[in-house]
Amino acid sequence: MRQRLAPGELLALALILLPLAVALPRLWSGYTGGWAGGLALAGRICGILGLAMMLVAAALSVRLPALDTGFGGLPRLWRLHRRLGFGAFMLILLHVLLLAFAALPHSLAMAVALLFPPPADWLTWTGWLALLALVIFLAPTFQFFGPIRYQSWKRLHLLSVPTLALALAHTLPPLASPWPWWLLAALAALALLWRKGLSPRLARRPYRVTEVRSLAPDVVELALSPERRPLRHRAGQFVYLSPLDDGLTAGRGEEHPYTLSSAPGAPALKLGIKALGDASRALQSVALGSRVLLEGPYGAFFEQAAPGRKQLWLGGGIGITPFVSAARELAADPGKEEEVVLCYLANRPERAYYLEELAGIAARHPALRLVPHYFSEQGPLELGFLAQQCPDFRERELLICGPPPMIHHLLRLLAGAGVPRAHIHTEAFDFL
């Protein structure tokens, strides 16, 4: 069973279909019949939908706190953004090919001339330039030329601005009813203006590093104190952190997402950070007292679960951090009665970073039960273990956070056990 569309996803779909709905009467009146006419009609529809998806994808890059909750959280919104980009790319390719094949019944020369007209036909050439720019800035996202590099991805995404401008120049003049395009273009322009121009100055809040606590050789928990008005967050949310420590070997000034491990309302924000790349590895030795900038909070992890139902939490690796935040919140609320089972999936005991603290919370709070599971001793999690430790897991809301391979294994396991997909909620930061 697939997840239901969130309200924001339904709105995005409506915005994508709006230009086509307005243009369809004109397109239909120009339909000439036959298979060539059908290909030409399909090609124009693909072009309209492709450009609309590009503009909506750009509008979704706005990244405003709280807006992402309408999309089921920022990771889910980013996945939608990425799928729209890829869908737009495929539709635009189809737009070109279908129009060329529609001209073939007349002659091959006409088909070639349609694709590659004289230089004076600048409208067609702006379309080719837009497609070229689209290929260049999407290449890192879809790993066309190898593994993704964060810095390249950030820089090349700036090409989205001329890409959209060229695509609009290619599309707008022939349209009889351009107002939907102006609406989508305005939304995309405002989003890009905020994301690239205003948010670095207006949305980021300064904090100071007050503690760097080592949890493992490659994992630290940072404690941060606000210089001015602090962020307010819920359990399971995350922030984008930009460190300003001059002594960092990598990542200075770059923004990266990290989950908050502190309880909501705690005097200091805490972030669990594992060395997974150059920037996060450098943060393992960030200087005390150095400044960082935070943007957020984002995410709606626990809000995805149906209220009033028992929950099973499955956390592994640094994906345990949202559950640490929730457990710390639970420790401050002795009156909470809904039973929660936390299954901590670690490779081995020494890699269970917060185990001692979580065990202490579970010992003091009857609503939390902690179940460690170690891959080195027990192998991958199996249904027998899950059924033994949490017999009613099929009737619970299941929240999963961890590395993508762990999540994929658990999704297959739970699907085979008949757990409804609507009861399973996941979080993984693999959405670049």
Side-chain angles (χ1 to χ4, degrees):
M1 179 177 176
R2 295 182 64 84
Q3 289 179 312
R4 294 179 180 177
L5 290 177
E9 292 169 329
L10 291 172
L11 177 60
L13 178 62
L15 290 173
I16 290 168
L17 295 176
L18 177 62
L20 179 60
V22 173
L24 200 55
R26 181 184 59 83
L27 291 175
W28 187 253
S29 66
Y31 174 54
T32 58
W35 69 269
L39 288 177
L41 177 63
R44 292 186 177 95
I45 290 174
C46 286
I48 290 171
L49 290 176
L51 178 57
M53 289 171 72
M54 285 175 58
L55 291 167
V56 171
L60 294 182
S61 70
V62 64
R63 209 176 78 193
L64 286 172
L67 177 67
D68 61 302
T69 58
F71 293 83
L74 192 61
R76 184 166 165 179
L77 188 153
W78 266 171
R79 284 192 288 271
L80 173 63
H81 170 85
R82 184 168 60 182
R83 288 165 183 164
L84 288 179
F86 184 72
F89 174 68
M90 298 304 296
L91 284 171
I92 290 168
L93 287 181
L94 281 173
H95 164 71
V96 174
L97 293 173
L98 289 171
L99 290 181
F101 280 116
L104 277 177
H106 299 283
S107 69
L108 178 61
M110 180 177 289
V112 173
L114 181 71
L115 292 177
F116 306 105
D121 187 357
W122 63 271
L123 286 178
T124 300
W125 289 109
T126 56
W128 278 116
L129 288 173
L131 180 57
L132 176 62
L134 184 64
V135 170
I136 292 172
F137 86 77
L138 286 183
T141 301
F142 299 108
Q143 302 185 30
F144 291 159
F145 307 114
I148 189 171
R149 289 179 56 85
Y150 182 78
Q151 293 82 2
S152 300
W153 177 84
K154 291 282 288 185
R155 287 194 295 269
L156 287 176
H157 252 60
L158 295 174
L159 282 175
S160 61
V161 176
T163 299
L164 291 173
L166 289 165
L168 284 168
H170 170 72
T171 306
L172 284 177
L175 294 181
S177 302
W179 69 265
W181 296 115
W182 294 123
L183 171 64
L184 296 187
L187 292 174
L190 289 172
L192 292 171
L193 175 64
W194 170 258
R195 183 76 263 126
K196 303 300 182 184
L198 299 178
S199 70
R201 298 172 177 83
L202 302 179
R204 297 178 183 177
R205 303 191 191 186
Y207 275 71
R208 292 278 178 181
V209 179
T210 56
E211 184 184 7
V212 181
R213 182 165 71 101
S214 177
L215 303 177
D218 58 347
V219 181
V220 295
E221 184 177 66
L222 304 185
L224 310 172
S225 294
E227 291 187 354
R228 295 195 294 272
R229 184 167 57 94
L231 292 173
R232 297 184 181 275
H233 73 92
R234 301 187 303 275
Q237 291 193 297
F238 63 94
V239 294
Y240 278 84
L241 179 143
S242 303
L244 302 180
D245 179 7
D246 290 329
L248 290 176
T249 57
R252 187 187 184 281
E254 293 179 5
E255 57 174 14
H256 292 268
Y258 301 105
T259 301
L260 291 154
S261 57
S262 50
L269 288 183
K270 293 185 177 181
L271 304 171
I273 299 175
K274 183 175 181 179
L276 297 173
D278 292 342
S280 55
R281 187 173 296 109
L283 281 174
Q284 307 296 305
S285 56
V286 67
L288 286 174
S290 62
R291 260 176 125 233
V292 300
L293 300 177
L294 299 185
E295 187 174 342
Y298 301 102
F301 185 35
F302 289 100
E303 285 74 15
Q304 298 177 75
R309 289 172 56 90
K310 292 182 178 181
Q311 295 183 1
L312 169 61
W313 301 344
L314 296 152
I318 200 62
I320 196 65
T321 46
F323 303 118
V324 173
S325 175
R328 287 170 169 171
E329 181 181 33
L330 196 64
D333 183 10
K336 185 175 176 61
E337 298 179 354
E338 296 89 350
E339 184 201 20
V340 174
V341 176
L342 170 55
C343 188
Y344 194 155
L345 308 177
N347 285 328
R348 51 191 186 277
E350 57 269 27
R351 300 300 296 179
Y353 316 124
Y354 293 93
L355 185 63
E356 185 176 347
E357 180 183 356
L358 292 171
I361 295 173
R364 297 189 303 271
H365 204 301
L368 178 65
R369 188 158 61 87
L370 177 64
V371 179
H373 179 280
Y374 303 119
F375 182 89
S376 62
E377 300 174 2
Q378 298 157 289
L381 183 70
E382 296 180 351
L383 286 177
F385 179 89
L386 203 56
Q388 181 183 12
Q389 300 295 333
C390 185
D392 62 343
F393 72 90
R394 292 177 179 84
E395 286 74 50
R396 291 177 177 253
E397 294 285 306
L398 286 83
L399 294 105
I400 306 172
C401 187
M406 185 200 89
I407 291 179
H408 296 156
H409 168 72
L410 292 176
L411 289 177
R412 289 194 299 269
L413 190 76
L414 296 170
V419 178
R421 184 62 180 86
H423 293 176
I424 304 173
H425 315 281
T426 64
E427 191 95 307
F429 296 111
D430 61 338
F431 48 86
L432 288 185

